[in-house]
Amino acid sequence: MSVGRLPTGRRLLVALGGLAVAALLAVELLFPANPITDIAVVLATIVVDANYVSSVLRLTVPIAFAALGGIFAEKSGVINIGLEGLLIISAFTSLAAAAALGGGDPNQTQLWLGFGIAVLVSTLFALLFAIVCIEFKADQIIAGLAVWLIALGLAPFASKVIWGQVNSPTIGTFDDWTVPLLAEIPFVGPVLFDASPMVYLLLVAVAASWYVLNRTAFGRWIEASGENPKALDTVGVDVRKVRYAGVLLSGFLSGIGGAGLAIGRVGQFIGGGTTMINGRGWIGITAYLFGNYNPVGAFGGSFLFASLDALQFRLQQVGYNVPSDLIGIIPYVTVVVVLAFVGRTRIPSAAGEHYESGEE
């Protein structure tokens, strides 16, 4: 029996088995001293390490917010691959606005104001993208790439104008929110009840996104707009407005992700190379494909990919220098394997297609 004829569950096992074998071969090639046992001990240790899990949750924030935004846009029928650019714009704007409001040393209120301004600017960028794609019927892929390239050039340029260099000065970040008593619970307390406000926002956003998409009329409109816009139009719902809403939500959520990274964790905008975003928007796209357009699945994929990133640093701390490039390709390889062997991810039928009310 060929792999293609196997049931979905068995195909998933074959795919995971293939990945495991490939990972073992990579370890053997990269570490001739054969440290698999040592690495297994490290892995067994960190999964029960609250500091490691807390770190992973913080790394998950920009990826998962971009993924949630991508879900709303693409399920409505507009493919927004400009998520990376929206993260860059919001990261830069949050730093610039907070620093300007606080004279270089913003307090918590000024950080939140900078955060709000960044989310607004990201949403406005998404609005421009929506106008180009919906009103002028531009190619969505090319328009999304344009958003990314504009942000990639504009943010470092603006940094040079403001600070004389592509990197901003360092400022403070959001204080952690601690829930009295609950924060004292072993393992769970430090992870969930003594965390960055961005982590709380993320957990709320995942639950809210799932509820909106699966339990509300707006969620059904979003899905119908991406699957069968003519049917939605027939019952009197304006497809254009639904698609605008989907794209604007992608800008709103990506804005939270970018600003959450810049002033929620790092406290600086880094504009060199691929900027401090460094592909997190692209990984967000792979995360929602991995999660089959389900917010909970997208969060799981984001958490998985962020955990690999954190694992790289942890292995370096114990003496194993895993190349960051190798870690960086894992999300994309995983999606290819899932799409090829499992085949559960199904792109909305009308995604990427323009729609004019009344057309046949």
Side-chain angles (χ1 to χ4, degrees):
M1 179 182 293
S2 67
V3 173
R5 294 181 179 178
L6 290 174
T8 299
R10 291 188 180 181
R11 277 185 284 163
L12 178 60
L13 289 176
V14 170
L16 293 176
L19 279 176
V21 171
L24 289 173
L25 289 175
V27 169
E28 288 289 341
L29 291 173
L30 291 169
F31 307 105
N34 192 19
I36 291 179
T37 302
D38 293 342
I39 292 178
V41 171
V42 173
L43 293 175
T45 303
I46 62 174
V47 294
V48 294
D49 184 344
N51 290 329
Y52 174 77
V53 178
S54 297
S55 175
V56 171
L57 274 176
R58 290 172 186 265
L59 291 171
T60 302
V61 167
I63 301 173
F65 271 113
L68 293 176
I71 289 175
F72 277 101
E74 196 156 325
K75 282 182 78 74
S76 74
V78 180
I79 301 173
N80 185 359
I81 66 167
L83 300 173
E84 177 86 0
L86 297 176
L87 291 177
I88 294 172
I89 286 296
S90 56
F92 164 76
T93 306
S94 64
L95 247 297
L101 291 169
D105 185 22
N107 56 33
Q108 291 294 304
T109 302
Q110 290 159 342
L111 285 174
W112 279 108
L113 287 173
F115 176 83
I117 293 171
V119 174
L120 176 62
V121 171
S122 174
T123 307
L124 290 176
F125 258 75
L127 175 61
L128 290 175
F129 171 75
I131 292 173
V132 169
C133 293
I134 298 173
E135 301 298 336
F136 297 98
K137 298 181 173 54
D139 185 286
Q140 295 172 10
I141 302 300
I142 294 175
L145 286 174
V147 169
W148 170 51
L149 292 173
I150 290 172
L152 193 60
L154 181 60
F157 171 75
S159 294
K160 286 185 178 179
V161 172
I162 297 173
W163 298 299
Q165 57 184 359
V166 294
N167 299 337
S168 76
T170 303
I171 64 173
T173 59
F174 291 131
D175 293 337
D176 286 351
W177 289 355
T178 303
V179 181
L181 300 179
L182 295 178
E184 303 300 324
I185 300 174
F187 187 78
V188 176
V191 172
L192 295 180
F193 301 112
D194 186 13
S196 164
M198 295 300 106
V199 171
Y200 294 113
L201 276 180
L202 174 60
L203 297 177
V204 170
V206 171
S209 297
W210 182 91
Y211 181 82
V212 168
L213 288 171
N214 293 281
R215 292 290 185 271
T216 68
F218 177 70
R220 291 190 287 274
W221 295 348
I222 286 280
E223 183 163 3
S225 176
E227 294 290 350
N228 192 342
K230 182 173 176 53
L232 187 64
D233 195 15
T234 302
V235 298
V237 178
D238 191 327
V239 175
R240 287 173 59 258
K241 290 182 179 177
V242 173
R243 290 189 169 183
Y244 267 112
V247 176
L248 289 177
L249 279 171
S250 73
F252 176 80
L253 292 165
S254 297
I256 296 176
L261 173 66
I263 59 177
R265 186 166 67 88
V266 179
Q268 185 185 26
F269 175 75
I270 302 170
T274 55
T275 76
M276 63 191 299
I277 300 304
N278 195 24
R280 289 179 171 86
W282 304 114
I283 296 176
I285 294 174
T286 64
Y288 73 70
L289 290 173
F290 180 82
N292 197 21
Y293 297 90
N294 184 314
V296 177
F299 171 75
S302 302
F303 187 88
L304 172 64
F305 300 144
S307 69
L308 295 173
D309 203 11
L311 177 62
Q312 173 195 355
F313 295 114
R314 183 57 64 93
L315 289 176
Q316 287 176 350
Q317 290 174 354
V318 295
Y320 299 111
N321 188 19
V322 181
S324 59
D325 292 339
L326 178 64
I327 297 294
I329 66 172
I330 288 178
Y332 309 107
V333 173
T334 303
V335 169
V336 170
V337 170
V338 170
L339 292 176
F341 288 89
V342 182
R344 290 182 60 248
T345 299
R346 193 182 68 80
I347 298 174
S349 301
E353 297 179 2
H354 301 295
Y355 180 77
E356 191 69 38
S357 180
E359 72 179 18
E360 295 297 331

